[in-house]
Amino acid sequence: VLSDSDLGSPEHYKRSLGTEGGRSLWGCTEDPVSTSPNRMLNLSKKRMSSTGMIQMQTSMGGLVAIPLILSKELCLQHDLLTQSHLISTIFFVSGICTLLQVLFGVRLPIIQGGTFSFLTPTLAMLSLPKWKCPAWTENATLVNASSPEFIEVWQTRMREVQGAIIVTSCFQIFVGFSGLIGFLMRFIGPLTIAPTITLVALPLFDSAGDKAGQHWGIAFMTVFFIVLFSQYLKNVPVPLPSYRRGKKCHFSPIYIFQIFPVLLGLSMSWLLCYVLTVTDVLPTDPTAYGHLARTDTHGDVLSQAPWFRLPYPGQWGMPTVSLAGIFGILAGVISSMLESMGDYYACARLSGAPPPPKHAINRGIGVEGIGCLLAGAWGTGNGTTSYSENVGALGITKVGSRMVIIAGACAMLLSGVFGKVGAVLASIPTPVIGGLFLVMFGIITAVGISNLQYTDMNSSRNIFIFGFSVFAGLTVPNWANKNNTLLETEIIQLDQVIQVLLTTGMFVGGVLGFILDNTIPGTQEERGLLAWKHSHKGEVDNSQLISKVYDLPFGIGTKYCAVSWFRYLPACPKKLLGGKKMDELKAAGQDSSVNASLERDSEIGADTRI
């Protein structure tokens, strides 16, 4: 558990994420005495559970969006019950992966969940002629979700996705635990990462438009509520009743709009759709515009879904493997690793921990690979990565505790076991989901572009590299989709590999950015490499505190399995000490952390109370 007071000041949070608001960023009700630097975080079970629920609900948007986007390409657009099973499965696996990451991975309080980096290559793979859905699956009257023929149609596609994810996850495991990620980062800079992440979301405009276009009024109402809560009302506290020893029952101001903007926005739009359904304002004719905004069109899934359903590996059958899928998903794996590394540093800054050392980063990337392997085995149709939105939630809740994230992971596991939870999320009206996609994909695009802040954008070199990479990443896939016959080599496997790679915009843009950035002459400062490395450096090298935060848990390497060759492994600390010596170093690290926090607070002179 990291010290609650080590989360940094509001100014520190502002510098880290560029968020304005000073004192209003904090959602903590303690006074400075209870959060003094010489006391460890002492969370009650009630608060730990509630904060863990906050972390889970913050990640809910991404966890729900991915299965709903995949459902069309998996021929499941008219099988809501299976969609609910996919949602439950991704919740369950995300809980397992979060526990692994917090306990044995990078060991920071960070949530794991589905990644949009895998989504683009997966859609490209499923768009191959071999995997296009039969015409009869697009007609709801012809689909019998329980028929063996229909089950075989969608499960063969899911097994193909599973196999590709399992194989490529082995590459991520190797890169992480071998320490190869450090070598790769010498050649990968902002001008490679920016077009890659930008092109994760841009090709999904068609999916967002289709869902929002079912009723643009409801979709824009969803956007309005999310923007209202997340941007205009984020600094407005809501007094809520709370209890604490000493103060007993009292009202505490909580920044609920900043914590739950997506959940509140979806709930308000969903309620509006229910009112319009009850009053028959929305059309009852299935062919009429706006019918899918009705809440009763998805009503059967709630009664059909079981109360309890335990996801298990291989639940959709034995995974299959193809070269096309492997090469396509590989681009998503690389993008996911780069994104996660940035999340590790941001999470360390917000939780008051020192920057993660190389062995912790290697371990985190390796454990994410293990998480992708589990996701492929369970059949989520996706991999796992670190969630940036949950990193931001650390600054809002002012609780940088591993136990809170563990509580959130347990909540994910329970949500995956209770079948009705997935059914409720699968029954959200289509245009409401479309409005969520408009906001979510726009933010992902902006996150990719924000990496350019490290480069000199007054340089014509950098402008050319980024602009050309992004535009080519949109143009080449569009042409390849329309002219796939011109790419045929009469070797089926090679044709599929070429088709998937050229129709994956993030691969095209990322490769072009990588080649141009490393071949066109430019200084380290111009390319943004100096600012990029500087942003990932710590101000103080405190080996005792680093050991305290990032060493392996349960005494592994110190009390148990303390063999000398451990220090040569890239994922293990270089110096492994045992017994009393480690306890002394931990105590020294705690004292130095206390002094650093006191000095920082005295310099800033900020009161972090609400």
Side-chain angles (χ1 to χ4, degrees):
V1 179
L2 304 182
S3 173
D4 190 30
S5 60
D6 286 342
L7 283 170
S9 65
E11 285 76 9
H12 181 83
Y13 181 74
K14 230 167 38 171
R15 290 196 304 269
S16 301
L17 294 185
T19 305
E20 299 180 357
R23 285 165 49 180
S24 61
L25 289 170
W26 304 94
C28 182
T29 59
E30 284 84 5
D31 52 41
V33 175
S34 62
T35 58
S36 59
N38 60 354
R39 297 189 182 187
M40 292 300 290
L41 180 61
N42 185 20
L43 292 173
S44 66
K45 292 182 179 180
K46 182 178 179 181
R47 187 183 175 200
M48 183 176 68
S49 301
S50 62
T51 314
M53 287 297 296
I54 289 174
Q55 291 286 349
M56 187 202 76
Q57 291 168 0
T58 304
S59 64
M60 186 177 295
L63 294 177
V64 173
I66 291 171
L68 296 181
I69 294 175
L70 284 175
S71 62
K72 182 178 180 181
E73 301 301 326
L74 292 172
C75 316
L76 291 173
Q77 62 266 44
H78 299 301
D79 185 2
L80 296 178
L81 182 60
T82 302
Q83 290 183 29
S84 72
H85 293 338
L86 290 179
I87 293 174
S88 297
T89 301
I90 198 171
F91 267 93
F92 187 81
V93 174
S94 296
I96 296 176
C97 296
T98 300
L99 290 175
L100 290 176
Q101 188 66 268
V102 173
L103 294 176
F104 302 102
V106 73
R107 304 211 71 226
L108 287 169
I110 194 167
I111 290 281
Q112 302 290 291
T115 168
F116 286 95
S117 299
F118 280 41
L119 198 56
T120 303
T122 301
L123 296 178
M125 181 181 70
L126 293 176
S127 67
L128 292 173
K130 178 182 178 181
W131 300 117
K132 285 189 176 179
C133 295
W136 61 269
T137 61
E138 299 177 4
N139 189 338
T141 59
L142 299 178
V143 172
N144 180 8
S146 59
S147 68
E149 182 183 6
F150 176 75
I151 292 175
E152 184 65 18
V153 165
W154 74 264
Q155 285 192 357
T156 53
R157 287 156 177 77
M158 174 59 81
R159 291 196 291 266
E160 186 74 9
V161 175
Q162 286 182 253
I165 293 174
I166 289 174
V167 173
T168 52
S169 66
C170 296
F171 170 77
Q172 185 171 359
I173 294 172
F174 171 76
V175 169
F177 289 117
S178 67
L180 188 61
I181 186 66
F183 173 76
L184 294 177
M185 289 305 295
R186 297 179 184 177
F187 306 98
I188 298 176
L191 287 172
T192 301
I193 297 174
T196 302
I197 297 180
T198 299
L199 289 167
V200 167
L202 282 181
L204 298 175
F205 72 91
D206 194 32
S207 176
D210 286 344
K211 293 185 180 297
Q214 299 298 327
H215 196 295
W216 282 105
I218 298 297
F220 278 117
M221 184 61 66
T222 305
V223 173
F224 168 77
F225 282 129
I226 294 176
V227 173
L228 176 67
F229 297 143
S230 65
Q231 303 300 321
Y232 293 101
L233 299 180
K234 64 180 180 180
N235 295 328
V236 178
V238 178
L240 296 177
S242 61
Y243 176 84
R244 200 185 60 180
R245 189 177 302 172
K247 284 190 176 182
K248 296 185 179 180
C249 292
H250 64 284
F251 284 89
S252 300
I254 305 297
Y255 291 85
I256 191 169
F257 299 120
Q258 195 177 48
I259 298 173
F260 300 122
V262 174
L263 184 63
L264 291 174
L266 292 180
S267 301
M268 294 295 293
S269 297
W270 203 346
L271 180 62
L272 177 62
C273 289
Y274 175 75
V275 173
L276 296 178
T277 300
V278 172
T279 57
D280 282 332
V281 174
L282 296 172
T284 57
D285 183 7
T287 61
Y289 174 80
H291 173 73
L292 290 180
R294 294 181 63 92
T295 55
D296 56 4
T297 57
H298 299 159
D300 293 341
V301 68
L302 291 175
S303 58
Q304 295 174 0
W307 278 101
F308 299 98
R309 179 183 178 276
L310 182 64
Y312 58 92
Q315 56 185 334
W316 318 128
M318 182 64 68
T320 58
V321 179
S322 68
L323 286 178
I326 292 173
F327 280 98
I329 300 295
L330 198 58
V333 168
I334 296 173
S335 174
S336 176
M337 288 191 293
L338 299 178
E339 183 182 359
S340 293
M341 287 186 63
D343 289 337
Y344 296 160
Y345 286 101
C347 183
R349 285 198 299 266
L350 286 181
S351 57
K358 289 182 179 180
H359 68 81
I361 294 177
N362 294 337
R363 211 164 53 234
I365 296 297
V367 170
E368 280 195 18
I370 295 175
C372 290
L373 182 67
L374 297 178
W378 257 265
T380 64
N382 200 255
T384 59
T385 190
S386 301
Y387 266 24
S388 304
E389 52 265 41
N390 290 92
V391 175
L394 291 176
I396 299 172
T397 61
K398 204 189 177 212
V399 176
S401 167
R402 293 192 190 110
M403 292 306 299
V404 166
I405 303 301
I406 290 174
C410 293
M412 287 181 174
L413 290 171
L414 292 176
S415 299
V417 172
F418 285 100
K420 296 295 184 182
V421 174
V424 169
L425 297 174
S427 63
I428 299 176
T430 303
V432 175
I433 294 295
L436 172 64
F437 285 176
L438 292 176
V439 176
M440 185 179 298
F441 297 158
I443 291 175
I444 295 174
T445 302
V447 167
I449 297 174
S450 69
N451 286 278
L452 297 177
Q453 65 183 300
Y454 301 103
T455 66
D456 179 12
M457 290 312 291
N458 290 319
S459 167
S460 59
R461 170 195 183 275
N462 295 346
I463 292 175
F464 164 73
I465 292 175
F466 177 73
F468 177 73
S469 300
V470 171
F471 195 77
L474 295 173
T475 305
V476 173
N478 181 64
W479 179 87
N481 277 320
K482 295 179 179 178
N483 301 276
N484 54 357
T485 56
L486 298 178
L487 300 173
E488 294 179 356
T489 63
E490 298 183 358
I491 303 176
I492 297 177
Q493 291 80 5
L494 181 59
D495 292 345
Q496 291 178 347
V497 171
I498 294 174
Q499 180 72 14
V500 170
L501 292 181
L502 292 184
T503 54
T504 304
M506 57 182 290
F507 171 80
V508 175
V511 168
L512 288 175
F514 175 81
I515 294 174
L516 295 175
D517 187 35
N518 284 279
T519 55
I520 297 178
T523 64
Q524 295 276 309
E525 183 178 5
E526 183 182 14
R527 296 173 60 189
L529 296 179
L530 292 181
W532 177 266
K533 292 177 182 178
H534 179 73
S535 68
H536 289 167
K537 286 184 179 179
E539 297 178 359
V540 179
D541 184 15
N542 190 329
S543 58
Q544 291 90 354
L545 185 57
I546 290 175
S547 175
K548 170 187 167 185
V549 175
Y550 295 108
D551 277 5
L552 294 168
F554 310 124
I556 300 175
T558 55
K559 296 181 180 179
Y560 310 104
C561 303
V563 291
S564 58
W565 52 266
F566 262 27
R567 66 178 181 271
Y568 297 108
L569 298 179
C572 293
K574 295 303 179 185
K575 294 182 180 179
L576 293 171
L577 304 172
K580 295 182 179 179
K581 186 64 177 176
M582 179 58 67
D583 294 336
E584 292 174 2
L585 287 180
K586 287 186 176 182
Q590 183 175 350
D591 292 340
S592 62
S593 174
V594 167
N595 295 333
S597 298
L598 287 172
E599 292 175 2
R600 180 191 61 208
D601 291 342
S602 63
E603 290 176 0
I604 294 172
D607 183 4
T608 60
R609 286 179 296 178
I610 297 301

